[in-house]
Amino acid sequence: MAKKTNTFLNDIKNYDLIREMLHHIYLYGNYSKGDIVKNNIAGSERSVYDMINRIKNYLDGEYLTTHKLPNRKQDKQGYRFRYDPFQCPINYLADTYRNCSYVVEDFIFYFTLLQAFKPYEKHNPYKQHKIDAYSSDVSELTLEGKYSYDTLMSNFHDILTANEDILQILGQSNANSPDNSEAIFTPAKARDRLNELVECGIIIKEEHTYALAPDLLENYEEWLESILLMVQFFYNYSDLCIPGYYLAHTLSQYSIVLGANESPKMFFEQENPVFFYKNSSIQNVIDDHTMWTIINAMHGVYPISLNYKNKDKVVHSYDVYPIKIIIERQYGRHYLFAYNYAYENFIMFRIDSISNISPSENIEKSKTFPFLESTHDLEKQLNETYHNYMKNVWNTTASDTLYDILIHFSCDKSNYSQLLSRVSATGRNGTIIPINDTSFDYKTKVTSYIEMKPWIRGFGEYAIVDKDASPELFEEIRNDYRKACASYGII
């Protein structure tokens, strides 16, 4: 249900802060108000209280729970989300994106627009509310066809006025406003919203008239279940899930309108999806709107402005040109590789630390690509720029210093081909040097040997770092194993 305008706008205004809190509570859990303040996520415990209330506006209370933190005399109450995919399979974090994207006037405008274009006899907008009074009280001031802007404005006012009492009952009207139609349907607001719907393909503009776009699914009703199943699968698999999530929701609602809900109810409800959303990456859902803005900038070929919180929790502002989104599979983190205009160099950002992202107004169009000699075959040049920069980067850390790495691999004959295949598939920019049918060497140069440690430890006893060729990495690995032995003992 839409919220009162002032409160709702406040939610949108502070969404970046709320997104960061959602991210930390989901990833780490057991966060108290004091913990949130200490981690510089909020300025005070009072602001934490306010943001928790806003989060409860976004999500049903059952998904965000409180509990007592052990061994504490003060600040005992902690917050955490539900994780169990069997008890809580819904992708509830995706709803935060929808709630930060619209204000109450958008819902009223869309409601009125549908009334203007769709005849009452075909679709009863109150069918799902199960309120008997609506079936006879709904206004029949509905028209169909192509309309000029002036005709639409006149119809909007009439429809909104006729349905004012119903909108108030549904919580979609401000009872204190003397004339909602005058406030919502000003010429500037109406034109902007109509143009947005034209860009989305919901409305078609022909010269000076507007018409509702044809139903794309009208001839595919028999395939609707298969289409929905396919969308549900791919949005669970995709790294950018928000578009698919809401497309699946739209398809399920479309099915209900067509009467397709005669099929098993579970199939059409988001609360009981066919596929469980993978909890290993669900925190990235909170960053989807940031990724979406970046992708739009990359396709639109324009720079962006953003705020970035570094490891010391200090926020800096940047104007950058986005070149690549990097998805680090081992830990599920997302990064942005971009050109930094202020320092005239390339930089890597963790996407979950980005906030206040928008198209940049500080960079002239003629100065968008100072790092390229020309813009001929732009996509190819940007790819070459990225690959040259990442040539010796093992994960995401770049540096002017290169470290020589030599690792000795050995195993039984029976496991040799499997080990060789795994190193070939997961090693980056390295060279494999065969020795015999039980051993081989792996040689490479990297900008950060620290980033190689998880990969090397994953091979256990089969991988030994050469002490002479790579002394820094050798000491790092040996110290890690010493700490492990101190904790678990020598086996």
Side-chain angles (χ1 to χ4, degrees), residues 242-424:
I242 290 293
Y245 177 82
Y246 288 117
L247 175 57
H249 184 268
T250 298
L251 289 172
S252 65
Q253 294 299 309
Y254 185 89
S255 303
I256 293 172
V257 171
L258 292 178
N261 54 329
E262 296 175 2
S263 299
K265 183 178 180 182
M266 167 182 172
F267 182 81
F268 294 102
E269 292 191 352
Q270 291 288 89
E271 289 77 7
N272 295 292
V274 175
F275 303 101
F276 284 149
Y277 192 83
K278 52 186 186 301
N279 282 345
S280 60
S281 299
I282 195 169
Q283 72 274 8
N284 294 327
V285 173
I286 310 172
D287 304 318
D288 266 17
H289 73 290
T290 300
M291 287 184 64
W292 193 254
T293 304
I294 294 170
I295 291 172
N296 282 338
M298 292 167 64
H299 283 280
V301 194
Y302 57 81
I304 54 178
S305 295
L306 58 86
N307 288 345
Y308 186 73
K309 182 179 285 189
N310 62 20
K311 293 180 180 179
D312 298 323
K313 307 297 182 181
V314 178
V315 178
H316 297 280
S317 297
Y318 295 89
D319 287 299
V320 301
Y321 183 82
I323 298 175
K324 285 284 185 181
I325 290 176
I326 302 168
I327 299 169
E328 196 276 312
R329 292 294 181 186
Q330 188 163 10
Y331 299 107
R333 298 189 184 110
H334 293 175
Y335 295 85
L336 168 64
F337 173 70
Y339 177 77
N340 181 6
Y341 290 101
Y343 292 93
E344 299 181 350
N345 63 356
F346 297 100
I347 190 170
M348 195 82 72
F349 299 100
R350 270 185 61 165
I351 287 180
D352 60 4
S353 295
I354 292 175
S355 62
N356 296 329
I357 184 171
S358 63
S360 176
E361 298 178 355
N362 304 320
I363 307 300
E364 296 178 19
K365 188 173 182 180
S366 60
K367 298 179 180 179
T368 303
F369 301 103
F371 54 95
L372 298 178
E373 293 182 0
S374 72
T375 56
H376 175 69
D377 201 353
L378 182 59
E379 184 176 353
K380 180 180 179 181
Q381 288 199 67
L382 292 176
N383 281 330
E384 289 177 353
T385 299
Y386 167 73
H387 288 296
N388 289 336
Y389 180 87
M390 299 293 290
K391 181 179 179 182
N392 296 109
V393 175
W394 184 261
N395 196 353
T396 59
T397 302
S399 171
D400 293 332
T401 304
L402 291 179
Y403 297 91
D404 291 314
I405 304 298
L406 178 60
I407 305 172
H408 306 295
F409 288 91
S410 61
C411 63
D412 297 333
K413 281 186 178 182
S414 58
N415 296 322
Y416 179 81
S417 59
Q418 182 179 357
L419 180 62
L420 181 63
S421 175
R422 182 180 168 193
V423 173
S424 300

